[in-house]
């Protein structure tokens, strides 16, 4: 910033050596493009999530892999083993996300993500030895350990990005995490397609091995980035917090803008500590569940909100589509090339997500979640209704010498309509609930419980991811539930619940600093939150002899 701009910084006074302001619009320093790129890089962690979700589908289809985990000549991995292999990663991420909540407060946000990358690499190495000894044990153990690393990354990257991103574009930058998830899914599909014709173990080892690259890029890049200023404030290390904030905002450390923003973070920390005092390890987890269920700003309500948002993101049925929809629809005989359908879904997912970069800041989090849930439920119910009337559920035997169990759809046009509505559903998900749920869980928790609150919310995502991955093969398996298109009634009903829940319980956090979000939830209700405007600053309302602001580095 120019000297002229710095002179205009609206400092009202100096408290404990830090400038403060009463202007609620000037509590954050202007940001340079370099600082934006620093904030955006952390979203690269989404590649982990997306690639892991995408590559396993192709690995399970590799005949070399099928021969290894089943027996030579088997046509496919059994439903029970498919359920185990797919879901075990999500099981690991559930525990990883919970552990990460503690680690992020002990060693910092940045170093927790780097530790997760190292754990992830160990899991990948174990997966690489699939085919030696007991191949099922290797792939399951490897995915479990890699899942713990992904849990570290998925929980703490969201926490880290929420704490370092500028408030006016925080939603767009955090949405970049979901965008990277979609890119990871697409990269996995491309790698699987490139290796599916191999007749050696490279058909599944190459897709597994490429995961090394994502871990090295993320860990190496984060080594160059500062840790979260809010983490240093939580540790009462004000010099480190000043240095980190100056790097993130592209300002000199003695800039009045940096002083004002840091004072606001520090004053909020002092205010929150009056409400949530330091306590034991068990007490710090218990703090996440304190307060009345009927008080909108209670820690319990915030924890329920964060965990339920991630639960409902999984309830939309999106992972059913990316895990199982291609073989599910291929069984109608209406699809000649399953890879083409898979790539269409993946490309729509990738191309739709950047729309949220604009909509989440223009219309807000709550608004896009409401419209997204409405669009998804309409698509899901249309897929179900078409399927049970004239579409997917109606087939006739058409055996061939190569496939004596082959069937064809009675009405191929109806099946194509179902595919089209599934594609539209993906558009609504990718541009709303995909990024929206991640953005909100990073914004709603106060600093004293933020790392554990985000960890619990992320763990909820992976818990329900695991449950859905386990039960779906039994819901649609031909020798199990065999629900066919009726399974979309389940997803449509759950999207309807998400719409109702959003209307009554999800607040609007657009354009607010993390400290202002907490004050908004204290003073308003979810349905009126979009109209709330900040009216005071934390630093401006703190007493001038504030003890915390006078602390030295510890």
């Amino acid at each position: 910033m120019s000297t002229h701009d710095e002179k205009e910084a609206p400092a009202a006074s100096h408290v404990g050596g830090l400038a403060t302001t009463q202007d609620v619009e000037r509590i954050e320093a202007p940001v340079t493009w370099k600082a934006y790129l620093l904030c955006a890089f952390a979203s690269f962690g989404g590649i982990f999530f997306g690639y892991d979700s995408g590559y396993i589908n192709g690995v399970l289809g590799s005949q070399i892999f099928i021969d290894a985990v089943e027996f030579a000549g088997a046509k496919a991995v059994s439903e029970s083993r498919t359920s185990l292999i797919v879901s075990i990663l999500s099981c690991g991420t559930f525990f990883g996300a919970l552990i990460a909540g503690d680690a992020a407060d002990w060693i910092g946000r940045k170093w927790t993500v780097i530790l997760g990358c190292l754990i992830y690499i160990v899991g990948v190495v174990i997966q690489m030895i699939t085919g030696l000894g007991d191949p099922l044990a290797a792939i399951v153990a490897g995915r479990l350990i890699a899942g713990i690393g992904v849990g570290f990354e998925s929980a703490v990257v969201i926490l880290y990005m929420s704490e370092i991103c500028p408030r006016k574009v925080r939603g767009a930058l955090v949405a970049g995490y979901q965008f990277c998830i979609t890119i990871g899914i697409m990269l996995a599909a491309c790698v699987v397609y490139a290796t599916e014709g191999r007749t050696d173990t490279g058909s599944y080892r190459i897709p597994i091995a490429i995961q090394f690259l994502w871990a090295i890029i993320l860990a190496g890049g984060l080594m160059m980035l500062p840790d979260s200023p809010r983490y240093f404030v939580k540790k009462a290390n004000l010099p480190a917090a000043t240095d980190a904030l100056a790097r993130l905002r592209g300002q000199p450390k003695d800039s009045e803008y940096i002083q004002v923003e840091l004072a606001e973070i520090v004053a909020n920390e002092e205010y929150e500590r009056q409400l949530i005092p330091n306590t034991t390890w068990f007490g710090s987890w218990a703090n996440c569940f304190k307060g009345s269920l009927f008080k909108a700003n209670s820690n319990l309500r915030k924890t329920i909100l964060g965990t339920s948002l991630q639960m409902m993101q999984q309830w939309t049925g999106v992972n059913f589509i990316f895990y199982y929809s291609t073989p599910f629809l291929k069984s109608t005989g209406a699809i000649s090339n399953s890879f083409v359908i898979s790539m269409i879904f993946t490309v729509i997912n990738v191309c739709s997500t950047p729309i949220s970069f604009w909509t989440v800041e223009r219309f807000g989090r709550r608004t896009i979640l409401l419209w997204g849930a409405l669009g998804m439920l309409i698509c899901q119910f249309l897929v179900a209704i078409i399927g049970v009337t004239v579409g997917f559920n109606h087939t006739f035997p058409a055996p061939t010498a190569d496939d004596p169990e082959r069937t064809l759809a009675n009405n191929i046009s109806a099946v194509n309509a179902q595919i089209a509505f599934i594609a539209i559903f993906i558009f609504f998900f990718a541009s709303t609930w995909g990024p929206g749920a991640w953005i909100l869980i990073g914004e709603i928790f106060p600093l004293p419980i933020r790392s554990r609150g985000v960890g619990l919310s992320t763990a909820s995502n992976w818990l329900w991811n695991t449950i859905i991955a386990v039960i779906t093969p039994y819901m649609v398996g031909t020798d199990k539930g065999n629900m066919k298109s009726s399974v979309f009634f389940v997803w449509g009903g759950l999207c309807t619940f998400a719409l109702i829940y959003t209307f009554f319980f999800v607040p609007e956090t657009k354009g607010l600093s993390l400290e202002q979000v907490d004050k908004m939830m204290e003073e308003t209700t979810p349905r009126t939150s979009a109209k709330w405007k900040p009216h005071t600053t934390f630093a401006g309302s703190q007493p001038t002899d504030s003890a915390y602001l006078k602390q030295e580095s510890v």
Side-chain angles (χ1 to χ4, degrees):
M1 289 299 295
S2 67
T3 304
H4 173 73
D5 287 338
E6 287 191 22
K7 288 179 180 178
E8 291 181 354
S13 61
H14 284 73
V15 179
L18 294 175
T20 65
T21 182
Q22 298 284 354
D23 188 343
V24 296
E25 296 300 323
R26 302 295 295 274
I27 60 170
E28 191 172 85
V31 190
T32 65
W33 276 107
K34 178 183 176 182
Y36 278 127
L37 293 175
L38 287 176
C39 296
F41 174 79
S43 65
F44 182 84
I47 296 282
F48 282 56
F49 189 158
Y51 191 87
D52 265 347
S53 298
Y55 91 89
I56 194 61
N57 189 38
V59 167
L60 290 171
S62 165
Q63 188 58 51
I64 306 295
F65 182 83
I66 294 170
D67 292 343
V69 301
E70 291 287 346
F71 54 87
K75 291 185 177 181
V77 179
S78 66
E79 290 173 354
S80 60
R81 290 187 174 184
T82 295
S83 175
L84 173 63
I85 293 170
V86 172
S87 64
I88 196 66
L89 181 124
S90 300
C91 179
T93 54
F94 170 78
F95 291 105
L98 291 178
I99 297 169
D102 281 327
D105 277 350
W106 292 337
I107 63 175
R109 283 53 163 150
K110 178 178 85 170
W111 291 106
T112 301
V113 177
I114 293 172
L115 177 60
C117 291
L118 297 177
I119 296 171
Y120 183 77
I121 288 173
V122 172
V124 172
V125 170
I126 295 173
Q127 291 177 70
M128 287 290 292
I129 66 174
T130 298
L132 304 176
D134 187 339
L136 180 64
I139 192 71
V140 170
R143 280 177 62 78
L144 177 64
I145 293 172
I148 294 173
V150 175
F152 272 54
E153 174 273 324
S154 60
V156 182
V157 163
I158 293 297
L159 171 65
Y160 179 64
M161 291 186 69
S162 296
E163 290 191 342
I164 69 173
C165 290
R167 62 189 172 117
K168 292 184 179 179
V169 291
R170 185 177 60 241
L173 289 173
V174 176
Y177 178 80
Q178 176 67 21
F179 183 50
C180 285
I181 291 175
T182 66
I183 292 175
I185 294 172
M186 185 173 70
L187 288 173
C190 293
V191 171
V192 165
Y193 179 68
T195 60
E196 67 176 354
R198 296 180 66 99
T199 56
D200 57 15
T201 57
S203 63
Y204 65 87
R205 280 195 170 127
I206 290 174
I208 291 172
I210 287 178
Q211 296 173 100
F212 281 108
L213 183 61
W214 319 137
I216 291 169
I217 292 174
L218 182 61
L222 283 177
M223 296 286 286
M224 310 295 179
L225 268 63
D227 212 323
S228 163
R230 288 174 169 88
Y231 163 72
F232 288 124
V233 167
K234 183 180 175 70
K235 293 296 185 181
N237 189 343
L238 299 188
T242 303
D243 180 68
L245 189 61
R247 289 179 61 190
L248 289 168
R249 299 293 182 255
Q251 300 282 322
K253 287 190 286 186
D254 59 353
S255 163
E256 202 161 84
Y257 280 116
I258 296 298
Q259 297 291 305
V260 165
E261 183 171 353
L262 185 61
E264 185 71 2
I265 296 171
V266 167
N268 175 259
E269 160 71 4
E270 186 174 67
Y271 172 76
E272 294 292 351
R273 280 298 171 205
Q274 295 170 1
L275 303 177
I276 312 173
N278 281 318
T279 183
T280 62
W281 173 83
F282 179 81
S284 63
W285 277 102
N287 281 335
C288 294
F289 303 96
K290 287 185 177 179
S292 169
L293 186 63
F294 303 100
K295 184 181 178 183
N297 195 45
S298 72
N299 290 352
L300 175 61
R301 277 283 292 271
K302 291 175 181 176
T303 300
I304 291 174
L305 176 61
T307 54
S308 60
L309 278 168
Q310 291 294 319
M311 174 185 72
M312 282 182 283
Q313 188 200 61
Q314 292 299 307
W315 278 4
T316 61
V318 69
N319 279 338
F320 164 76
I321 290 170
F322 284 112
Y323 288 160
Y324 303 111
S325 67
T326 301
F328 181 65
L329 292 171
K330 185 180 178 181
S331 63
T332 64
I335 299 171
S336 58
N337 190 329
S338 60
F339 177 76
V340 171
I341 297 299
S342 175
M343 281 305 298
I344 289 173
F345 289 164
T346 302
V347 169
I348 291 172
N349 195 29
V350 172
C351 294
S352 302
T353 303
I355 296 172
S356 66
F357 297 176
W358 178 70
T359 58
V360 75
E361 300 298 354
R362 174 63 179 84
F363 301 108
R365 287 70 156 149
R366 173 182 166 87
T367 301
I368 68 168
L369 291 185
L370 285 169
W371 284 104
L374 179 62
M376 288 189 296
L377 74 88
I378 291 172
C379 291
Q380 297 280 26
F381 281 128
L382 284 173
V383 172
I385 292 168
I386 294 171
V388 299
T389 53
V390 294
F392 175 72
N393 287 24
H394 300 274
T395 59
F396 62 90
T400 64
D402 295 333
D403 187 2
E405 298 181 359
R406 177 170 172 262
T407 60
L408 287 176
N410 290 350
N411 190 330
I412 292 179
S413 296
V415 175
N416 289 337
Q418 289 182 273
I419 295 172
F421 281 116
I422 290 173
I424 297 170
F425 159 81
I426 293 172
F427 163 79
F428 277 109
F429 174 85
S431 59
T432 60
W433 275 86
W438 290 111
I439 293 168
L440 276 163
I441 67 168
E443 296 178 331
I444 60 176
F445 294 102
L447 183 57
I449 65 166
R450 186 173 295 142
S451 64
R452 291 176 173 85
V454 174
L456 284 167
S457 301
T458 307
S460 172
N461 180 291
W462 290 108
L463 173 65
W464 286 99
N465 190 311
T466 304
I467 292 171
I468 290 171
V470 168
I471 67 174
T472 299
Y474 299 98
M475 293 169 68
V476 299
T478 54
D479 61 341
K480 305 292 182 181
N482 198 24
M483 293 182 68
K484 297 186 178 179
S485 295
S486 297
V487 73
F488 287 93
F489 281 120
V490 176
W491 309 132
L494 292 172
C495 287
T496 302
F497 180 80
L499 174 67
I500 297 169
Y501 184 89
T502 302
F503 180 78
F504 286 105
F505 298 108
V506 177
E508 182 54 70
T509 58
K510 175 176 73 77
L512 303 177
S513 70
L514 296 182
E515 290 70 37
Q516 289 169 344
V517 168
D518 193 58
K519 181 62 71 173
M520 175 272 293
M521 295 181 73
E522 181 180 323
E523 297 180 354
T524 188
T525 65
R527 282 177 288 173
T528 60
S529 56
K531 299 178 181 178
W532 186 86
K533 301 294 181 185
H535 47 80
T536 186
T537 64
F538 279 96
S541 61
Q542 288 291 92
T544 56
D545 61 346
S546 171
Y548 194 98
L549 289 173
K550 294 179 180 179
Q551 286 191 75
E552 297 295 330
S553 172
V554 295

